[in-house]
Amino acid sequence: MSRIQSVFATLKQQGKTALIPYITAGDPHPKHTVNLLHTLVKHGADMIELGVPFSDPMADGPVIQRASERALAHKVGLTAVLAMVKEFRQTNQTTPIILMGYANPIEAIGAMAFADRAKAADVDGVITVDYPPEECGEFVKELRARDIDPVFLLSPTTEPERVDLIVKQASGFVYYVSLKGVTGAANLDIIEVTKRVASIRGQTSLPVGVGFGIRDAATAKATAAIADAVVVGSRMVQVIEASTDENLLSNVAKLMDELKTAVDAA
Amino acid sequence: MQLYDMPDARGHFGQFGGTFVAETLVEALEDLRIMYEKYRHDPEFLAEYAYDLKHFVGRPSPIYHAKRLSDKIGGAQIYLKREDLNHTGAHKINNTIGQALLAKRMGKPRVIAETGAGQHGVATATIAARLGLECVVYMGSEDVKRQAPNVFRMKLLGATVVPVESGSKTLKDALNEAMRDWVTNVHNTFYIIGTVAGPHPYPMMVRDFQAVIGIEAKEQMMEMVGRQPDAIVACVGGGSNAMGIFYPYIDVPNVRLIGVEAGGLGMETGQHAAPLTANSPVGVLHGNRTYLMQDADGNIIETHSISAGLDYPGVGPEHAWLKDIKRAEYVAITDDEAMAAFHNLCRTEGIIPALESSHALAHAEKMAKTMHKDQIILVNLSGRGDKDINTVAKLANITL
């Protein structure tokens, strides 16, 4: 059983929903990333999505674009991100780390070499925004051969037949993107999301995470009531962006405490 | 008979092309693919497209024998396919009409586009005005500054021009932003991509709409000289004008196809936009797999060219394929070489070419010198240079 699967199994026994914060590796500065990861865990992160900076983040809104630019200004690429995960693992062997990013940094080193290096760094899952299942069969095989979960996104425009195709490739969990558009956009329509999550559950036994549009305790709580995992990205990055070196960790801790309380109360 | 049969059903040209997009766009691309399949051979659709090409664009564009230029160089005869004479001044309009007619049939009241130099933006704004569609054009804020006349033209035509402040603030970032718009407004919006790049079916569809250039050329060459040219030369940024003229010739033996990339300050400087000539690594950007200028971490690097229309780090996937199967050759021409060819055509033939097309002219001049007087080079003169006069004046330290 992968680390992601066992976390979901444990939470299920406890009747709880996973809280998954997202941060971009290297944002606001590479020196903070490992400390941030530990802070997230200490304040309730069940798993962490760690963004791999990319020069052309086409599916991201301005908040996460800026995070990528801040990280790239310090030359944080995929190699540096894997080193950060390795460092984090020196003192944490339990919290799953899911890399989230775009195809080209993976293409640059090759699917097999990437899978080897991700395994060596003890990465648990990979979300590749612009690798739809039709285009990444080989990549998925390489990941699964190493017990790394390929996590796929489902969107409001994904038809049921396609959900079938995607869940066959996915493991760990599936990630329902709760609205059309880029990260950080608009508000979430909880009634619509509830309907879609129920329909996805009819097609797979994989846990269903929900993200996009969750920005406070209220939306986190509402989402936690229907999902197996709640992903908070742009809101987290906004707090990081607005912080100084001195209050960065405490600001992140404060947001995490609010979200954790809300998710646990659902 | 056409033997060449690319791409495959999912848009692959060998290892290149494909559909590398976020999940939200998969359905929209599938709809587009189905609609395009439905209409690409539909007589009514094709008749409407042909009507607009003739009466709105002014096609067929002539082929012109650049005799004085050929004599001056003293080698092969240089012929020009005059896409610069099209309405809006470049080949871009061939494609925007095709896609806009498709948008109309799909019931999408809003079209969006990305633009670098502004030619594709102007061509999109033009057809949007003609068909009564709302039009939003994304343009890097650096390009907005450099191409002020085209920005104003788009506004005159009723389009909204959105300056893009992210990344390098140029064409690739405009494309990113247009993709973001499309993800958000996919229900009512048609994305008119300007080149033979992007996810399937765009590279194929844009090629098909531009193929009118090569189809006409084939007939015109027979009428003019009774045979096909020995070589066809076209500039390549994304590569739409080159694909348009190459495609109908792929199965014609003994016609060399030569794509000319932007060599910028020189290949050795790294300051260029020539991924094919530089043997850049293969990667994924803007929905397709192709050769891409990138660093070791897979981040896209900034390109340089005097010509905004060639200033792109990737290249259409079909060009990547044609290079690999050795059906087409790719070379680079520097900023300086292109400038010299620009002035040469102005003075010897009375034609002001676009800086993009000047790259093709410069290479044709080099080739012509090594060829016989009875051989023929056909250059795709993809656009006129009126849009570039500010750039050229600035280089000569002239204030207009």
Side-chain angles (χ1 to χ4, degrees), chain A residues 54-58 60 65 69 72 77-79 104-105 107 129-130 132 134-135 153 155 157-159 162 181-182, chain B residues 10 12 18-24 26-27 166-167 172 176 180 183-184 283-284 286 289 294 297-300:
Chain A
F54 182 50
S55 53
D56 295 78
M58 277 173 297
D60 285 299
Q65 284 174 48
E69 285 176 14
L72 289 172
L78 184 51
T79 305
N104 202 52
E107 298 257 319
V129 177
D130 49 352
E134 292 91 339
E135 299 283 7
L153 304 179
S155 90
T157 58
T158 310
E159 299 285 340
R162 233 187 114 67
V182 294
Chain B
R10 296 217 323 268
H12 295 108
T19 313
F20 294 88
V21 292
E23 183 56 32
T24 311
V26 169
E27 202 63 29
S166 57
K172 79 174 174 70
N176 292 339
R180 292 180 187 119
V183 169
T184 310
V284 166
H286 296 150
R289 184 179 275 134
Q294 54 184 300
D297 275 321
N299 287 304
I300 307 308

Side-chain angles (χ1 to χ4, degrees), chain B residues 27 57 69 80 88 96 101 104 108 126 153 166 193 211-212 219 239 254 257 283 285 307 322 353 361 363 373 377 384:
Chain B
E27 202 63 29
V57 179
L69 179 68
L80 307 175
T88 72
T96 58
L101 291 177
K104 214 176 76 174
K108 309 268 181 170
T126 298
R153 284 168 86 194
S166 57
I193 294 185
V212 63
E219 277 182 33
N254 306 320
L257 306 176
L285 182 70
S307 125
L322 292 176
L361 289 164
H363 187 69
K373 275 191 159 41
I377 300 173
R384 67 177 182 228

Side-chain angles (χ1 to χ4, degrees), chain A residues 104, chain B residues 275 280-285 288 290-294 300 312-315:
Chain A
N104 202 52
Chain B
S280 297
V282 173
V284 166
L285 182 70
N288 66 92
T290 187
Y291 290 104
L292 276 180
M293 292 176 58
Q294 54 184 300
I300 307 308
Y312 182 69
V315 64

Side-chain angles (χ1 to χ4, degrees), chain B residues 51-274:
Chain B
Y51 182 92
D52 271 4
L53 288 185
K54 181 174 177 188
H55 298 281
F56 189 62
V57 179
R59 302 203 71 92
S61 67
I63 284 183
Y64 168 74
H65 182 190
K67 208 161 176 319
R68 253 170 58 82
L69 179 68
S70 307
D71 287 348
K72 188 177 169 192
I73 292 161
Q77 301 304 306
I78 295 175
Y79 285 70
L80 307 175
K81 177 64 173 162
R82 299 290 308 274
E83 291 299 298
D84 61 315
L85 294 177
N86 292 339
H87 178 41
T88 72
H91 70 291
K92 293 288 185 190
I93 189 97
N94 303 330
N95 167 51
T96 58
I97 288 180
Q99 290 196 49
L101 291 177
L102 212 50
K104 214 176 76 174
R105 278 170 174 71
M106 290 175 78
K108 309 268 181 170
R110 180 173 180 269
V111 296
I112 57 172
E114 84 293 341
T115 198
Q119 290 307 101
H120 174 59
V122 168
T124 304
T126 298
I127 192 63
R130 153 123 171 61
L131 296 177
L133 302 168
E134 185 193 343
C135 178
V136 176
V137 179
Y138 290 93
M139 190 167 184
S141 60
E142 281 301 313
D143 291 333
V144 168
K145 270 183 248 160
R146 288 192 289 197
Q147 309 286 341
N150 269 344
V151 173
F152 190 59
R153 284 168 86 194
M154 289 184 261
K155 288 180 179 168
L156 287 176
L157 293 160
T160 305
V161 180
V162 181
V164 177
E165 302 287 351
S166 57
S168 59
K169 305 177 172 59
T170 59
L171 176 58
K172 79 174 174 70
D173 309 286
L175 225 150
N176 292 339
E177 207 56 36
M179 285 273 188
R180 292 180 187 119
D181 179 311
W182 201 31
V183 169
T184 310
N185 301 301
V186 65
H187 57 285
N188 75 344
T189 297
F190 189 106
Y191 181 13
I192 299 185
I193 294 185
T195 191
V196 286
H200 181 62
Y202 283 101
M204 172 180 81
M205 181 168 69
V206 175
R207 172 199 73 192
D208 293 351
F209 288 136
Q210 293 293 0
V212 63
I213 304 171
I215 292 167
E216 286 175 5
K218 253 171 142 176
E219 277 182 33
Q220 291 166 320
M221 290 308 296
M222 289 310 285
E223 283 166 20
M224 286 181 85
V225 295
R227 69 177 184 93
Q228 297 304 335
D230 298 282
I232 295 178
V233 180
C235 64
V236 176
S240 71
N241 88 79
M243 264 334 295
I245 196 162
F246 287 178
Y247 182 57
Y249 278 98
I250 289 176
D251 285 333
V252 180
N254 306 320
V255 178
R256 285 174 67 190
L257 306 176
I258 297 152
V260 184
E261 295 185 300
L265 302 179
M267 295 305 291
E268 68 288 351
T269 66
Q271 300 286 305
H272 57 77

